[in-house]
Amino acid sequence: MSYVTIVAMAFYLIFFCATWGPIMWTMIGEVFPLSVRGVGVGFSSLINWGGKPTCIIDVPRFVGTLLNADYLRCLCCYVCPWFTVR
């Protein structure tokens, strides 16, 4: 890796951790009512950390076959609104 890449990654981490990073953890804690907050935050953390290895393993494979990656993105764009729009 070049020094430019390492410096760019460091700046990304610094600014992400100082701005957007903690917001999701705050939002997750505020979404659940007090009676189930511990279980809800624990399950959300499990899903969050469990999804990261999936992305690390699958994304290079999808990018390697660009056609499949395009189909996956299109599928997400068409399917995700069905779960969010009521």
Side-chain angles (χ1 to χ4, degrees), residues 5-65:
T5 305
I6 294 172
V7 169
M9 287 173 35
F11 274 116
Y12 171 77
L13 286 172
I14 289 168
F15 287 110
F16 180 78
C17 291
T19 57
W20 285 103
I23 290 175
M24 285 313 299
W25 292 108
T26 305
M27 287 178 60
I28 288 172
E30 295 297 324
V31 167
F32 299 105
L34 285 175
S35 60
V36 294
R37 185 170 290 176
V39 175
V41 170
F43 185 70
S44 299
S45 299
L46 174 74
I47 297 299
N48 185 15
W49 285 97
K52 289 178 185 182
T54 304
C55 290
I56 291 169
I57 292 168
D58 286 342
V59 167
R61 186 170 48 106
F62 288 139
V63 171
T65 56

